[in-house]
Amino acid sequence: MLCCDVAICVAGVCSVIELAKKAELPCSLRIEQYRPVVSQVSTVAYHHGMREGDKLQGVDGIPITRITEVELLLDRKQPHEWITLQILRDTLERQIDPFNPGPATTRILSVERQRVLRVPLSPRVSTWELLIVALCAGLFFAVGVAVYLKKSDDEAAKLFHGASVLTAILISASYFYPMLPMPVRLAMTALNATAALLMPVMFLHFTYRFPAKNYFGKSAEQDNRRWRVMYALASLLILMLCIMLMDVDVSQLLTPEKLSWLATVITVSQWCFAGCMVWGVINFMNHYMMADEEADRRKLRWILIGLLAGPLTFAVLWLLPKQLIGEPVLTQEAMLLISTLTPLTFAISIVRYRLMDIDLIFNRGTVYALMLSAVIGAYILLMNLIALIAGEIADWKKSFWMASLTTVLALLFEPVRQRVQAFVDRRFFYVQYNYRQVQRKVLQEINRAISVQQLAQLLLEQIDEFLKPKFSCFLLKNRAEKLECLAQQPLTKSLELSPFEALAAKDALPLANPKTVEQGAVVALLEGEGWSEAGVALVFPLYSERRTLMGWLILGEKMSKTLYSDEDIDLLTALAVQASALVEKMMLQNALMLQAAETERLKELAEMRAHFVSGVSHDLRTPLTSIKLFAELLENEVPKQNRAAQDYLEIIQEQIARLERMIANVLAYAKSERQTPTLNAVEIDLTQLVCKTLENMSVHFKAQQCAVEMLITSEPLRVLGERDALIQMVENLLFNAIKYSPNEKKIKIELTREGRHAVLRISDTGIGIAEDELQKIFEPFYRSSRHEAKQVGGTGLGLALVKQTVQAHQGKIHVQSELGKGSTFTVMLPLAAGAE
């Protein structure tokens, strides 16, 4: 594409150079009674006998009926060449009746007399006109290429690029290039014919693709079919025109028949050009009336200005008058200068219309004019006052003082002018901000915040300063995962938070009300009509570093009624990200401070609890020892025949043993909290230890009527550990199994070797453990909230001590349980090095 542009640019330069060598008649032509008639005769033509009103019949012996035919003939000539014109001129003649001579019978008649004139040709364009042509063509070409480079993937931009580049060729186009070599002449002829017939079709196609895609028909298929027909017709006319022009150019023979056919084809192409221009203008006007989005309306206002300045002006004030009356309403220079607005306004609309807000330009221009008039009025009044005072000064000093005072006043009024402009921009209009400056300023402000609430308030104040939304709000989730409004602008605005609880972020994009953002903005749409009623325009998600949603930044519509642009959304997104990071940082700092304080408090409580437990446990041991001593004395004193007394003593001793175990557990836990548990590890046969423990507990099993199933390997399983700690671990697991089996007490004990570990499994048929409590049962003092578990006494330390013992022996423990069917505790201890 760009290679073609380079070739077209070279052709355009050649065309402009050749245009300087083109000639025209030293007079103007108009159409009267469907015939070319001379008008506006130059001095040179007048001296050679040409008069206004002469009817042109032929040029160099070739009959002429249309102005286009004259242009075709002159396109092969050069300035200062002599040309023969055949004209008809109305001549007043006196006719006298020969049979009755006298004044009464004499008549004055207008008689057409044919004349032949030889006149020199004039240059078609002056140096000034040539500069205007080059400027206008270059502007169309440059803007077309710039739009294509900016939006090369946009269909509308491609069509605009093609139409603009072809227009640049048309501005300086000619029918023939006799001064160029033959191959170049033929290529230039083909290019100009293509531009003349393809450009209006591309322009019309552009009107169906911008600002939104519209079908030339009822469906996409019908649209494609019709455009293929349009381009095919244009290609057919191009082929016809090229063949006719090349035939004349190669043969160097222009017969009246060829001239007439060539002029007819060119006239048809010009009418097609005018029709496409008017059709395109009607299209844009229809788009403007049917547009729902304000962004589309602004784009179309720029387009309509460009159409009024360019294609419509050319069609209505140049092309149509030239075809109908032979003379355009505007001069060529004026028409070209006005048409330069077209590529500029179209480019603004396609690429960056936001930077050139048409409403802002006209509104600011009006206000600036009023404010500047007031300043100028004050300036003139002051100057007149100074002039009145200076009138008494000597004349030779007057000029010096007036020049000096004028300079001083100009310097003084420049700051006034700047302040007036700043005041108008601040009070009346929203002026585009500098992205980086605003971002830097906002970040500096919110970094000063010492709390999340202060950060939210500072952020909203800064947003209010450069965007002026009707309201803004900063929502953040609290510990209960409910949204809480930390700050809002203005404070009087009430906002219902419940709809935002149900919002979900979509691909981390800001959520937007489609009526408040410009078309093409990268946002996700807010679903539902309630947002428009609430005035919500934009909702930005606030994410933590782990991509969890922390809250929302909410903005209402702008007070200026303008739409949020891509720059606005990008800036607000960046600020939301920065604010999220700062909020998370502050929350993390607060959490760390609270955690440190909580840790310190818990440490103090743990120490107090350990001292209390240790003291109480020791105090309990003294009366417990006395009770145990007297129970043993009673056992010796009570006769064996007194079965009831023996049973009572057995219960007392069992409860004493239970209380001793509880105190032992409490003391062991208190010791573990005060210092890291240390083991006096020796090599122990775990098989022998488990068997001995079961033997010692056999009396307890019998008393609880507990059935015990033992599957213990006969193989010695030697582990490194502390005997008392391991015995306490096994006893705690067994006592737990008995305690939480209130009905049928049945325990299964397995001890096996699995690889390099000794595995102890203790299963029961008790009440079981809920799935959500499986990890909590090993926590100190944890007691299940279930009714069945609360009926069983205990301190909640047994399993905590078991886990501590297993971990101290480099082992593992896990539990499997099902409510109502029992539990299985599995302990895995590594075997000693020699026992593996």
Side-chain angles (χ1 to χ4, degrees):
M1 182 69 73
L2 293 179
C3 294
C4 294
D5 289 343
V6 172
I8 290 174
C9 181
V10 173
V13 173
C14 294
S15 184
V16 171
I17 294 173
E18 285 294 307
L19 188 63
K21 303 174 184 178
K22 296 295 180 179
E24 69 174 0
L25 291 174
C27 64
S28 300
L29 297 177
R30 68 175 185 270
I31 297 294
E32 283 187 8
Q33 298 178 352
Y34 308 104
R35 303 283 298 186
V37 177
V38 174
S39 66
Q40 297 181 7
V41 180
S42 68
T43 305
V44 174
Y46 186 83
H47 286 319
H48 288 83
M50 189 173 287
R51 299 293 181 266
E52 187 171 348
D54 290 346
K55 300 178 181 64
L56 188 61
Q57 278 193 312
V59 176
D60 286 341
I62 300 176
I64 296 298
T65 59
R66 286 175 282 191
I67 293 178
T68 305
E69 296 172 346
V70 178
E71 293 175 350
L72 285 168
L73 289 169
L74 294 179
D75 208 42
R76 299 156 56 92
K77 304 291 184 179
Q78 295 188 37
H80 309 301
E81 282 190 25
W82 289 80
I83 193 169
T84 302
L85 302 177
Q86 290 80 37
I87 64 171
L88 287 176
R89 182 178 295 170
D90 291 336
T91 305
L92 297 177
E93 294 186 0
R94 187 187 301 273
Q95 186 177 19
I96 302 173
D97 188 355
F99 300 101
N100 190 15
T105 58
T106 302
R107 291 181 297 175
I108 305 299
L109 299 178
S110 176
V111 180
E112 287 186 345
R113 298 292 184 183
Q114 189 171 9
R115 297 191 179 192
V116 177
L117 302 176
R118 289 274 296 171
V119 295
L121 295 176
S122 303
R124 182 181 297 182
V125 292
S126 64
T127 304
W128 170 245
E129 292 171 339
L130 194 64
L131 288 175
I132 292 177
V133 169
L135 173 65
C136 188
L139 188 60
F140 269 93
F141 181 83
V143 171
V145 173
V147 169
Y148 176 76
L149 293 176
K150 186 70 176 177
K151 290 195 170 185
S152 58
D153 57 343
D154 187 4
E155 183 184 7
K158 292 178 181 177
L159 291 170
F160 174 77
H161 162 259
S164 296
V165 170
L166 294 178
T167 302
I169 290 295
L170 277 180
I171 290 172
S172 58
S174 301
Y175 300 113
F176 301 103
Y177 296 90
M179 304 304 294
L180 295 175
M182 180 59 70
V184 180
R185 286 159 53 185
L186 297 179
M188 293 287 290
T189 300
L191 179 61
N192 291 339
T194 303
L197 290 164
L198 190 60
M199 190 283 286
V201 179
M202 294 189 76
F203 170 76
L204 184 61
H205 197 175
F206 170 75
T207 66
Y208 278 92
R209 294 295 185 264
F210 186 82
K213 186 174 183 179
N214 295 280
Y215 291 141
F216 183 18
K218 296 182 179 180
S219 64
E221 183 180 355
Q222 192 175 29
D223 175 84
N224 292 330
R225 186 167 58 249
R226 289 186 177 183
W227 283 119
R228 282 196 295 268
V229 171
M230 292 286 288
Y231 283 109
L233 291 175
S235 301
L236 181 62
L237 284 174
I238 290 170
L239 183 61
M240 290 176 58
L241 185 58
C242 286
I243 291 174
M244 298 177 72
L245 287 172
M246 289 178 182
D247 176 60
V248 173
D249 205 7
V250 172
S251 65
Q252 295 293 318
L253 179 63
L254 188 58
T255 63
E257 293 78 12
K258 289 182 179 181
L259 182 63
S260 178
W261 274 103
L262 192 55
T264 300
V265 173
I266 291 174
T267 302
V268 170
S269 69
Q270 290 176 343
W271 278 104
C272 290
F273 185 100
C276 287
M277 294 298 107
V278 175
W279 189 352
V281 172
I282 294 173
N283 248 352
F284 277 125
M285 294 178 67
N286 182 58
H287 294 340
Y288 184 81
M289 289 186 291
M290 300 297 293
D292 295 327
E293 300 290 339
E294 180 61 24
D296 289 346
R297 289 179 175 271
R298 292 183 183 179
K299 292 180 180 180
L300 287 168
R301 283 199 282 272
W302 278 115
I303 290 289
L304 293 175
I305 288 177
L307 291 174
L308 291 174
L312 195 61
T313 300
F314 177 74
V316 176
L317 301 181
W318 175 270
L319 191 57
L320 292 178
K322 192 173 180 180
Q323 293 295 325
L324 296 174
I325 64 176
E327 287 184 311
V329 177
L330 290 177
T331 63
Q332 184 177 2
E333 308 94 271
M335 190 270 297
L336 287 175
L337 287 174
I338 293 174
S339 65
T340 55
L341 291 175
T342 301
L344 296 176
T345 56
F346 275 52
I348 289 170
S349 181
I350 296 171
V351 181
R352 289 305 264 188
Y353 82 94
R354 288 186 302 274
L355 299 181
M356 300 287 287
D357 191 331
I358 185 170
D359 298 328
L360 185 64
I361 289 173
F362 285 109
N363 292 338
R364 284 177 63 181
T366 304
V367 177
Y368 283 153
L370 294 175
M371 300 298 292
L372 191 59
S373 299
V375 173
I376 291 173
Y379 179 81
I380 292 173
L381 182 63
L382 188 57
M383 287 298 296
N384 287 335
L385 181 62
I386 293 173
L388 182 63
I389 298 173
E392 301 176 359
I393 304 176
D395 291 339
W396 66 272
K397 297 180 179 180
K398 190 172 183 179
S399 299
F400 172 77
W401 285 108
M402 288 301 297
S404 302
L405 288 173
T406 302
T407 304
V408 172
L409 287 174
L411 293 174
L412 290 175
F413 269 85
E414 177 59 21
V416 175
R417 185 199 63 78
Q418 293 177 355
R419 294 198 177 194
V420 168
Q421 180 175 346
F423 173 79
V424 172
D425 287 342
R426 185 174 62 255
R427 294 295 181 183
F428 295 95
F429 304 106
Y430 165 71
V431 179
Q432 294 290 335
Y433 51 82
N434 185 295
Y435 184 102
R436 294 184 180 277
Q437 290 180 357
V438 170
Q439 187 177 17
R440 190 183 306 114
K441 180 185 176 185
V442 175
L443 291 180
Q444 288 175 351
E445 288 295 321
I446 62 178
N447 277 321
R448 295 191 297 107
I450 59 176
S451 66
V452 176
Q453 189 167 6
Q454 186 183 12
L455 182 148
Q457 189 63 39
L458 288 173
L459 178 63
L460 296 188
E461 289 175 358
Q462 291 299 313
I463 291 175
D464 182 70
E465 182 177 336
F466 69 87
L467 279 182
K468 302 293 184 198
K470 289 184 178 179
F471 73 92
S472 55
C473 188
F474 194 96
L475 304 183
L476 206 64
K477 289 185 177 181
N478 54 24
R479 293 185 178 180
E481 292 297 312
K482 295 292 183 181
L483 286 176
E484 181 182 353
C485 182
L486 292 189
Q488 67 180 52
Q489 289 281 358
L491 298 176
T492 55
K493 174 71 177 179
S494 59
L495 191 67
E496 179 64 33
L497 301 185
S498 55
F500 297 97
E501 296 279 1
L503 273 183
K506 301 176 182 178
D507 300 327
L509 292 175
L511 307 177
N513 185 342
K515 298 180 180 179
T516 61
V517 296
E518 292 178 348
Q519 188 177 13
V522 184
V523 295
L525 299 183
L526 280 167
E527 298 175 355
E529 295 295 330
W531 305 109
S532 297
E533 298 176 1
V536 175
L538 285 171
V539 181
F540 292 87
L542 303 175
Y543 280 108
S544 67
E545 188 177 351
R546 297 181 179 178
R547 305 304 298 167
T548 57
L549 186 65
M550 298 190 299
W552 303 97
L553 172 63
I554 304 164
L555 272 73
E557 301 173 1
K558 289 186 183 179
M559 297 181 68
S560 60
K561 300 294 184 181
T562 57
L563 302 180
Y564 284 97
S565 65
D566 284 340
E567 286 85 357
D568 297 335
I569 295 172
D570 290 344
L571 177 59
L572 290 168
T573 301
L575 295 180
V577 170
Q578 295 289 341
S580 301
L582 289 175
V583 167
E584 186 179 19
K585 178 182 175 183
M586 290 182 179
M587 293 175 67
L588 183 59
Q589 288 176 342
N590 292 338
L592 289 175
M593 293 173 63
L594 290 174
Q595 186 177 2
E598 184 71 12
T599 302
E600 188 65 27
R601 187 177 69 85
L602 290 176
K603 185 178 178 181
E604 293 177 359
L605 288 175
E607 290 180 357
M608 293 173 61
R609 183 176 61 193
H611 287 298
F612 172 77
V613 169
S614 179
V616 170
S617 300
H618 282 292
D619 291 342
L620 288 175
R621 276 194 167 184
T622 302
L624 185 60
T625 303
S626 299
I627 294 172
K628 185 177 181 181
L629 177 62
F630 285 108
E632 291 174 353
L633 292 175
L634 281 174
E635 185 180 7
N636 295 328
E637 295 294 333
V638 173
K640 299 294 184 182
Q641 296 79 9
N642 193 346
R643 226 26 243 167
Q646 289 291 337
D647 290 340
Y648 295 153
L649 283 173
E650 186 176 343
I651 293 173
I652 291 172
Q653 287 176 342
E654 184 180 337
Q655 294 302 318
I656 289 172
R658 181 185 174 195
L659 188 56
E660 283 181 332
R661 288 194 303 272
M662 293 174 63
I663 293 174
N665 285 338
V666 171
L667 288 174
Y669 178 75
K671 179 181 178 182
S672 67
E673 280 206 329
R674 286 199 303 270
Q675 57 188 12
T676 304
T678 57
L679 294 177
N680 297 319
V682 295
E683 196 170 289
I684 300 170
D685 184 356
L686 188 61
T687 304
Q688 184 182 4
L689 183 143
V690 171
C691 291
K692 184 65 175 175
T693 304
L694 291 174
E695 183 181 345
N696 293 337
M697 292 188 64
S698 59
V699 177
H700 187 72
F701 291 148
K702 184 179 179 181
Q704 294 291 330
Q705 298 179 350
C706 179
V708 179
E709 180 183 355
M710 294 184 290
L711 298 174
I712 299 176
T713 180
S714 59
E715 176 188 1
L717 300 177
R718 310 194 70 78
V719 298
L720 289 176
E722 188 177 278
R723 180 176 295 276
D724 293 340
L726 291 175
I727 292 174
Q728 186 183 32
M729 175 194 75
V730 176
E731 287 181 347
N732 281 336
L733 291 174
L734 291 172
F735 282 125
N736 260 23
I738 296 171
K739 182 167 58 173
Y740 289 101
S741 299
N743 300 321
E744 181 184 2
K745 299 182 185 295
K746 184 177 180 181
I747 298 176
K748 182 179 180 181
I749 303 165
E750 298 178 73
L751 181 63
T752 60
R753 173 175 178 160
E754 294 182 6
R756 298 182 179 181
H757 290 82
V759 179
L760 173 66
R761 289 188 181 90
I762 298 178
S763 305
D764 62 62
T765 57
I767 62 175
I769 306 169
E771 185 176 355
D772 58 341
E773 294 181 332
L774 288 176
Q775 298 302 321
K776 298 178 182 178
I777 58 175
F778 295 104
E779 296 176 3
F781 302 106
Y782 177 77
R783 300 285 295 164
S784 174
S785 58
R786 294 175 56 217
H787 176 71
E788 298 89 337
K790 286 184 177 180
Q791 291 180 338
V792 181
T795 59
L797 290 173
L799 290 178
L801 291 173
V802 168
K803 185 176 182 180
Q804 283 185 359
T805 302
V806 172
Q807 290 177 344
H809 286 77
Q810 306 299 316
K812 298 178 182 178
I813 182 171
H814 65 270
V815 59
Q816 292 177 327
S817 183
E818 187 175 350
L819 286 176
K821 294 186 179 181
S823 306
T824 299
F825 286 85
T826 303
V827 176
M828 301 178 67
L829 296 176
L831 296 171
E836 294 181 4

